Amino acid sequence: MSNDRRRRELARAERVLPGLWRLRLPLPWPAVPHVNTWAIASGSGVVLVDAGLHEPGALRQLELALDQAGVRLEHVRLLVCTHAHSDHYGLAGPIVEASGCELWMHPNHEHMTKAAASPEAMLERRIEVARHSGVPASALAGYEESRRGQGVGVAEVVLPDRDLLPGVEVDSDLGAWQVHETPGHAPSHVVLHQPDRRVLISGDHILGRVSLYYDYGYSPDPAGEFLASLDAVEDLDVQLILAGHGRPVRDLRGLVAANRAKVAERLERVRAAMADGPRTPYEIVPLLVGEEAPSDMMVSWGLSEVLCYLRHLEVRGEAAPLDGEDPARWGLTGRR
Ligand SMILES: [Zn+2]
Ligand SMILES: [Zn+2]
C-alpha cells in the first residue's frame, strides 16, 4: 500500500545556473509532493544544501538525481541543512556516511534531533499540549492512533560538525555563501545568500507560494520570530530565490510583503475568534484553517499555528490565558 503511485515519480535534476543544480526529490505527502536539494559545484565535488526525507528508497532517489547532475554521493564535500525538518535533514546520516563529508547546521536543532531520538516522548508531549488546548478525548485518540509508531522521516540523528551561524561562509565555485539566521518556520532555520550572484537559498522561510508553518514549543514566540526573520532578509540583494519546495522564483520583496500580509490576516482571525469571549485554542482552529480540514491535521499543524498566534498576541499584550483553567481558555485583554 505504501508503494502507491506517488512512488513511481522519479527524482530529477535540473541545472539552474552553471555549477548549480536543483535536485527535485519526491515526497510521500499529498500537499507537498517534492522537496529541493541544491548541488553546488565546489572544487572536485559539490556542496549539497538540504538532504531530503528518509523513507524507503529515498537515498536511491537522491543518487538518481545526483547522477543526472553528473555527481556521485562520494563527491559530496559538505552537507548544509537550511533547517532540521525531516524533508531537509532526513537523509543527512546516510549522506555523511557515504561521502565522509561534514554536516553544517544551526545549533537550535533540538526540535528535530530530540524528537527523532525519542519519538514516543515527543508524541506524549504533543498529546499533552493538545489536551491542555481543549482537544476532546475522541479527537486526541484519533490523533494518537494516526501518529503512534510512525517514523519521523529521519534515518538517524547526526549532529552538526559545525554550527551554521552568521559569519560562517560556505565556499563554492559560485563564490562564498553567507549565513543569515531566520527562525520562525523552525528554530534552526537559516538562509544562504550569495551576494555576487544575487542568489538566495531560502529553505522554507520564503516559498514561491505563501505557506505558513511554525514549530511550537521550542522558542518564546515563533510567529514573532518569523516576522523578524522576514525583516532580516527583506533588504538582501537577491534576483533569484531557490526555495525548499517548488521552482526557483523572483521578487523577494513581494514575497516578504505577501508573507507579512498573510500573518496579519491570520492574527486578525484569531483576534476575531475571541471577540465574543474566551475560547480554547482548539475552538479557534476551525476559524483559522477552515471547518473542512481533516481532524488529525486540526490537531497537528492547525493547533500549532493557533498556539503560535496566541503566544504572539500574549507577547504583544493583546491576549492571555485565563488564570488556572485546564483546558486553557484565552481571551483578549482589550489592549491593542
Ligand atoms: Zn520545513
Ligand atoms: Zn520543507
Side-chain angles (χ1 to χ4, degrees), residues 1-283:
M1 195 185 110
S2 63
N3 284 328
D4 60 12
R5 64 192 76 93
R6 287 191 298 270
R7 291 239 38 91
R8 278 178 228 145
E9 187 169 356
L10 296 177
R12 287 210 302 257
E14 65 191 49
R15 201 183 72 155
V16 175
L17 296 168
L20 194 157
W21 293 265
R22 173 191 180 202
L23 312 180
R24 181 172 167 271
L25 309 177
L27 290 173
W29 303 337
V32 190
H34 315 100
V35 64
N36 295 325
T37 287
W38 306 97
I40 312 168
S42 178
S44 58
V46 293
V47 173
L48 211 57
V49 180
D50 285 344
L53 180 80
H54 165 66
E55 57 159 348
L59 191 64
R60 181 76 202 102
Q61 293 276 342
L62 173 63
E63 289 183 296
L64 208 65
L66 281 170
D67 188 57
Q68 291 170 34
V71 182
R72 300 169 61 88
L73 212 44
E74 303 88 87
H75 297 152
V76 176
R77 295 275 168 271
L78 172 67
L79 172 62
V80 173
C81 291
T82 58
H83 61 300
H85 281 162
S86 57
D87 49 332
H88 302 258
Y89 166 74
L91 289 174
I95 292 168
V96 164
E97 219 158 86
S99 66
C101 73
E102 288 197 348
L103 165 66
W104 294 5
M105 186 163 75
H106 192 277
N108 294 350
H109 51 68
E110 282 201 338
H111 64 94
M112 174 53 70
T113 49
K114 258 196 171 168
S118 54
E120 294 296 308
M122 185 54 53
L123 181 61
E124 294 303 328
R125 193 176 130 180
R126 289 228 167 110
I127 286 169
E128 177 48 28
V129 168
R131 193 200 59 73
H132 184 62
S133 303
V135 177
S138 58
L140 266 186
Y143 173 70
E144 184 169 359
E145 193 181 329
S146 73
R147 291 301 162 109
R148 188 155 311 269
Q150 275 210 344
V152 290
V154 172
E156 63 189 279
V157 173
V158 273
L159 298 178
D161 298 286
R162 185 160 183 190
D163 287 344
L164 202 57
L165 290 166
V168 173
E169 290 195 335
V170 176
D171 286 324
S172 76
D173 291 359
L174 279 72
W177 298 75
Q178 294 167 355
V179 176
H180 297 263
E181 291 177 294
T182 50
H185 173 81
S188 56
H189 206 294
V190 301
V191 297
L192 299 174
H193 181 224
Q194 213 304 313
D196 308 318
R197 313 258 172 176
R198 303 169 64 210
V199 179
L200 184 72
I201 296 180
S202 64
D204 289 351
H205 180 48
I206 302 286
L207 296 164
R209 193 172 58 88
V210 176
S211 169
L212 299 173
Y213 176 88
Y214 317 102
D215 270 332
Y216 173 76
Y218 303 94
S219 62
D221 176 15
E225 288 146 26
F226 176 69
L227 290 171
S229 295
L230 292 175
D231 299 346
V233 300
E234 182 173 30
D235 292 329
L236 294 176
D237 187 12
V238 169
Q239 53 102 15
L240 186 66
I241 303 166
L242 309 178
H245 305 269
R247 293 192 186 87
V249 287
R250 296 176 192 276
D251 190 17
L252 177 61
R253 282 172 182 241
L255 288 169
V256 165
N259 272 279
R260 275 197 197 114
K262 186 85 172 179
V263 173
E265 184 224 309
R266 308 287 276 179
L267 281 169
E268 194 50 44
R269 279 201 222 182
V270 172
R271 284 189 198 100
M274 294 181 287
D276 295 334
R279 301 237 190 201
T280 68
Y282 187 63
E283 287 169 339

